[in-house]
Coordinates of all heavy atoms in Angstrom, one line a residue:
T13 N -10.5 150.6 29.5 CA -10.6 150.7 31.0 C -9.2 150.9 31.5 O -8.2 150.5 30.9 CB -11.2 149.4 31.6 OG1 -10.3 148.3 31.3 CG2 -12.6 149.1 31.0
V14 N -9.1 151.5 32.7 CA -7.8 151.9 33.2 C -6.8 150.7 33.3 O -5.7 150.7 32.8 CB -7.9 152.5 34.6 CG1 -6.6 152.8 35.2 CG2 -8.7 153.8 34.4
G15 N -7.3 149.5 33.8 CA -6.4 148.4 34.0 C -5.8 147.9 32.7 O -4.6 147.7 32.6
H16 N -6.7 147.9 31.6 CA -6.2 147.4 30.3 C -5.2 148.4 29.7 O -4.2 148.1 29.1 CB -7.4 147.1 29.4 CG -8.1 145.9 29.8 ND1 -8.2 144.8 29.0 CD2 -8.8 145.6 30.9 CE1 -8.9 143.8 29.6 NE2 -9.3 144.3 30.7
V18 N -3.4 150.7 31.2 CA -2.1 150.9 31.8 C -1.1 149.8 31.4 O 0.0 150.1 31.0 CB -2.3 150.8 33.4 CG1 -0.9 150.7 34.1 CG2 -3.0 152.1 33.9
T145 N -4.1 140.9 28.8 CA -3.7 141.5 30.1 C -3.8 140.5 31.2 O -3.3 140.8 32.3 CB -4.6 142.7 30.4 OG1 -5.9 142.3 30.3 CG2 -4.4 143.9 29.5
L249 N 4.3 145.8 34.1 CA 3.7 146.6 35.2 C 4.1 148.0 35.1 O 5.2 148.3 34.7 CB 4.3 146.0 36.6 CG 4.0 144.6 36.9 CD1 4.8 144.2 38.2 CD2 2.5 144.4 37.2
D250 N 3.2 148.9 35.6 CA 3.5 150.3 35.7 C 4.1 150.6 37.1 O 3.3 151.0 38.0 CB 2.3 151.2 35.4 CG 2.6 152.6 35.5 OD1 3.8 153.0 35.4 OD2 1.6 153.4 35.6
H256 N -3.4 157.8 39.8 CA -4.7 157.4 39.2 C -5.7 158.5 39.5 O -5.6 159.1 40.5 CB -5.1 156.1 39.9 CG -6.3 155.4 39.3 ND1 -7.6 155.9 39.6 CD2 -6.5 154.4 38.5 CE1 -8.5 155.2 39.0 NE2 -7.9 154.3 38.3
D258 N -8.6 158.4 40.6 CA -9.4 158.3 41.8 C -8.5 158.5 43.1 O -9.0 158.4 44.2 CB -9.9 156.8 41.9 CG -11.0 156.6 40.9 OD1 -11.4 157.6 40.2 OD2 -11.4 155.5 40.7
L259 N -7.2 158.7 42.9 CA -6.3 158.7 44.1 C -6.3 160.1 44.7 O -6.1 161.1 44.0 CB -4.9 158.3 43.7 CG -3.9 158.3 44.8 CD1 -4.2 157.2 45.8 CD2 -2.5 158.0 44.2
F281 N -2.4 144.3 53.9 CA -3.0 145.2 53.0 C -4.3 144.6 52.4 O -4.2 143.5 51.9 CB -2.0 145.7 52.0 CG -2.6 146.5 50.9 CD1 -3.3 147.7 51.2 CD2 -2.4 146.2 49.5 CE1 -3.8 148.5 50.1 CE2 -2.8 147.0 48.5 CZ -3.6 148.2 48.8
L282 N -5.4 145.3 52.5 CA -6.6 144.7 51.9 C -7.1 145.7 50.8 O -7.3 146.9 51.0 CB -7.8 144.7 52.9 CG -7.6 143.7 54.1 CD1 -6.9 144.5 55.3 CD2 -8.9 143.2 54.6
C283 N -7.2 145.1 49.6 CA -7.6 145.9 48.4 C -8.3 145.0 47.4 O -7.8 143.9 47.1 CB -6.4 146.7 47.9 SG -6.8 147.9 46.6
F284 N -9.4 145.5 46.8 CA -10.2 144.6 46.0 C -10.4 145.2 44.5 O -11.4 145.0 43.9 CB -11.6 144.4 46.6 CG -11.4 143.8 48.0 CD1 -11.7 144.6 49.1 CD2 -10.9 142.5 48.2 CE1 -11.5 144.1 50.4 CE2 -10.8 142.0 49.5 CZ -11.0 142.8 50.6
G285 N -9.3 145.9 44.0 CA -9.3 146.2 42.6 C -10.1 147.5 42.3 O -10.6 148.2 43.2
S286 N -10.1 147.9 41.0 CA -10.6 149.1 40.7 C -12.2 149.1 40.7 O -12.8 150.1 40.8 CB -10.2 149.5 39.2 OG -10.5 148.5 38.4
M287 N -12.8 147.9 40.7 CA -14.2 147.8 40.8 C -14.8 147.1 42.0 O -16.0 146.8 42.1 CB -14.7 147.1 39.5 CG -14.5 148.0 38.3 SD -15.0 147.1 36.8 CE -13.5 146.3 36.4
G288 N -13.9 146.9 43.0 CA -14.3 146.1 44.1 C -15.0 146.9 45.2 O -14.5 147.2 46.2
S312 N -8.1 149.4 51.9 CA -8.7 150.3 50.9 C -10.1 150.0 50.8 O -10.5 149.0 50.2 CB -8.0 150.0 49.6 OG -8.7 150.6 48.5
L313 N -10.9 150.8 51.4 CA -12.4 150.6 51.6 C -13.1 151.3 50.5 O -13.0 152.5 50.4 CB -12.8 151.0 53.0 CG -14.3 151.1 53.2 CD1 -15.0 149.7 53.1 CD2 -14.6 151.7 54.6
R314 N -13.9 150.6 49.7 CA -14.8 151.3 48.8 C -16.1 150.5 48.8 O -16.1 149.3 48.7 CB -14.2 151.3 47.4 CG -13.0 152.3 47.5 CD -11.9 152.0 46.5 NE -12.3 152.6 45.3 CZ -12.2 152.0 44.1 NH1 -11.7 150.8 44.0 NH2 -12.6 152.7 43.0
C340 N -8.3 153.7 54.0 CA -8.3 154.7 53.0 C -9.2 154.4 51.9 O -9.8 153.3 51.9 CB -6.8 154.8 52.5 SG -6.2 153.4 51.7
G341 N -9.4 155.2 50.9 CA -10.2 155.0 49.7 C -9.3 154.3 48.7 O -8.5 153.4 49.0
F342 N -9.4 154.8 47.5 CA -8.5 154.3 46.4 C -7.0 154.4 46.9 O -6.6 155.4 47.3 CB -8.7 155.1 45.1 CG -8.1 154.4 43.9 CD1 -8.8 153.5 43.1 CD2 -6.8 154.6 43.6 CE1 -8.2 152.9 42.1 CE2 -6.2 154.0 42.5 CZ -6.9 153.1 41.7
A343 N -6.3 153.3 46.8 CA -5.0 153.2 47.4 C -3.9 153.3 46.4 O -4.0 152.8 45.3 CB -4.9 151.9 48.2
P344 N -2.7 153.9 46.8 CA -1.5 153.8 45.8 C -0.9 152.4 46.0 O 0.1 152.2 46.6 CB -0.6 154.9 46.4 CG -1.0 155.0 47.8 CD -2.4 154.6 48.0
Q345 N -1.6 151.4 45.3 CA -1.3 150.0 45.6 C 0.2 149.6 45.3 O 0.8 148.9 46.1 CB -2.2 149.1 44.7 CG -2.0 147.7 45.0 CD -3.1 146.8 44.4 OE1 -4.2 146.9 44.8 NE2 -2.7 145.9 43.5
V346 N 0.7 150.1 44.2 CA 2.1 149.7 43.9 C 3.1 150.2 45.0 O 3.9 149.5 45.5 CB 2.5 150.3 42.5 CG1 4.0 150.1 42.3 CG2 1.7 149.5 41.4
E347 N 2.9 151.5 45.4 CA 3.7 152.0 46.4 C 3.6 151.2 47.7 O 4.5 151.0 48.5 CB 3.4 153.5 46.7 CG 4.0 154.4 45.7 CD 3.6 155.8 46.1 OE1 2.6 156.3 45.7 OE2 4.4 156.5 46.9
I348 N 2.3 150.8 48.0 CA 2.1 150.1 49.3 C 2.7 148.7 49.2 O 3.4 148.3 50.2 CB 0.5 150.0 49.5 CG1 0.0 151.4 49.8 CG2 0.2 149.0 50.6 CD1 -1.5 151.5 49.8
L349 N 2.5 148.0 48.1 CA 3.1 146.7 48.0 C 4.7 146.7 48.1 O 5.3 145.8 48.5 CB 2.7 145.9 46.8 CG 1.2 145.5 46.8 CD1 0.7 145.0 45.4 CD2 0.9 144.5 47.9
F357 N -1.2 140.4 51.7 CA -2.1 141.1 50.9 C -3.4 140.3 50.8 O -3.4 139.1 50.3 CB -1.5 141.3 49.5 CG -2.2 142.1 48.4 CD1 -3.3 142.9 48.8 CD2 -1.9 142.0 47.1 CE1 -4.0 143.6 47.8 CE2 -2.5 142.7 46.1 CZ -3.6 143.5 46.5
S359 N -6.3 139.9 48.6 CA -6.5 140.4 47.3 C -7.7 139.8 46.6 O -8.0 138.6 46.8 CB -5.2 140.2 46.5 OG -5.5 140.5 45.1
H360 N -8.3 140.6 45.7 CA -9.4 140.1 44.9 C -8.9 139.3 43.7 O -9.6 138.8 42.9 CB -10.3 141.3 44.4 CG -9.7 142.0 43.2 ND1 -8.4 142.5 43.2 CD2 -10.2 142.4 42.1 CE1 -8.1 143.1 42.1 NE2 -9.2 143.1 41.4
C361 N -7.5 139.2 43.6 CA -6.9 138.4 42.6 C -7.1 138.9 41.1 O -7.1 138.0 40.2 CB -7.3 136.9 42.7 SG -6.9 136.2 44.3
G362 N -7.2 140.2 40.9 CA -7.1 140.7 39.6 C -5.6 140.4 39.1 O -4.7 140.4 40.0
W363 N -5.4 140.2 37.9 CA -4.1 139.7 37.4 C -3.0 140.8 37.7 O -1.9 140.5 38.1 CB -4.1 139.3 36.0 CG -2.8 138.6 35.6 CD1 -2.0 139.0 34.6 CD2 -2.3 137.4 36.2 NE1 -0.9 138.1 34.5 CE2 -1.1 137.1 35.5 CE3 -2.6 136.5 37.2 CZ2 -0.2 136.1 35.8 CZ3 -1.8 135.5 37.5 CH2 -0.6 135.2 36.8
N364 N -3.4 142.1 37.5 CA -2.4 143.1 37.7 C -2.0 143.1 39.2 O -0.8 143.3 39.5 CB -2.9 144.5 37.4 CG -3.0 144.7 35.9 OD1 -2.1 144.4 35.2 ND2 -4.2 145.1 35.4
S365 N -3.0 143.0 40.1 CA -2.7 142.9 41.5 C -1.8 141.7 41.9 O -0.8 141.9 42.7 CB -3.9 142.9 42.3 OG -4.7 144.0 42.1
I366 N -2.1 140.6 41.3 CA -1.2 139.4 41.5 C 0.2 139.7 41.0 O 1.2 139.4 41.8 CB -1.8 138.2 40.8 CG1 -3.1 137.7 41.6 CG2 -0.8 137.0 40.7 CD1 -3.8 136.6 40.9
L367 N 0.4 140.2 39.8 CA 1.7 140.5 39.3 C 2.5 141.5 40.2 O 3.6 141.3 40.5 CB 1.7 141.0 37.9 CG 1.2 140.0 36.8 CD1 1.2 140.6 35.5 CD2 2.1 138.7 36.8
E368 N 1.7 142.5 40.7 CA 2.4 143.5 41.5 C 2.8 142.8 42.8 O 3.9 143.1 43.3 CB 1.4 144.6 41.8 CG 1.2 145.5 40.5 CD 0.0 146.4 40.5 OE1 -0.8 146.4 41.6 OE2 -0.3 147.0 39.5
Y382 N -14.8 139.1 40.8 CA -15.5 139.2 39.6 C -14.6 138.8 38.4 O -13.4 138.4 38.7 CB -16.1 140.6 39.3 CG -15.2 141.7 39.6 CD1 -14.4 142.2 38.6 CD2 -15.0 142.2 40.9 CE1 -13.5 143.2 38.8 CE2 -14.1 143.3 41.1 CZ -13.4 143.8 40.1 OH -12.5 144.8 40.3
A383 N -15.0 138.9 37.2 CA -14.3 138.6 36.0 C -13.6 137.2 36.1 O -14.3 136.3 36.5 CB -13.2 139.7 35.7
E384 N -12.3 137.1 35.8 CA -11.7 135.8 35.8 C -10.9 135.5 37.1 O -10.1 134.7 37.2 CB -10.8 135.6 34.5 CG -9.4 136.1 34.6 CD -9.1 137.6 34.9 OE1 -10.1 138.3 35.0 OE2 -8.0 138.0 35.0
Q385 N -11.3 136.3 38.1 CA -10.5 136.2 39.4 C -10.6 134.9 40.1 O -9.6 134.5 40.8 CB -10.9 137.4 40.3 CG -10.5 138.7 39.7 CD -11.5 139.9 40.1 OE1 -12.2 139.7 41.0 NE2 -11.4 141.0 39.4
N388 N -8.0 132.8 38.6 CA -6.7 133.3 39.0 C -6.4 132.8 40.5 O -5.3 132.4 40.8 CB -6.6 134.8 39.0 CG -6.7 135.4 37.7 OD1 -6.6 134.7 36.7 ND2 -7.0 136.7 37.6
Ligands
UDP1 N1 -5.4 149.8 42.0 C1 -4.8 150.8 42.8 N2 -5.5 151.2 44.0 C2 -6.7 150.7 44.3 C3 -7.3 149.7 43.5 C4 -6.6 149.3 42.4 O1 -3.7 151.3 42.6 O2 -7.3 151.1 45.3 C5 -4.6 149.4 40.8 C6 -3.8 148.1 41.1 O3 -2.5 148.5 41.6 C7 -3.8 147.4 39.8 C8 -5.1 147.9 39.1 O4 -5.5 149.1 39.8 O5 -2.7 147.9 39.0 C9 -6.2 146.8 39.3 O6 -6.0 145.9 38.3 P1 -6.4 144.3 38.6 O7 -6.1 143.6 37.3 O8 -5.7 143.8 39.8 O9 -7.9 144.4 38.9 P2 -9.2 145.1 38.3 O10 -9.3 146.4 38.8 O11 -8.9 145.0 36.8 O12 -10.3 144.2 38.7

Side-chain angles (χ1 to χ4, degrees):
T13 61
V14 173
H16 286 246
V18 168
T145 51
L249 299 172
D250 179 18
H256 185 283
D258 292 350
L259 183 64
F281 173 52
L282 297 88
C283 188
F284 305 106
S286 53
M287 288 176 272
S312 165
L313 167 65
R314 291 155 83 222
C340 63
F342 192 91
Q345 181 167 299
V346 167
E347 279 182 272
I348 291 167
L349 291 171
F357 182 16
S359 172
H360 78 312
C361 298
W363 189 240
N364 289 310
S365 295
I366 288 177
L367 290 178
E368 288 159 7
Y382 50 91
E384 86 299 358
Q385 293 152 12
N388 295 345

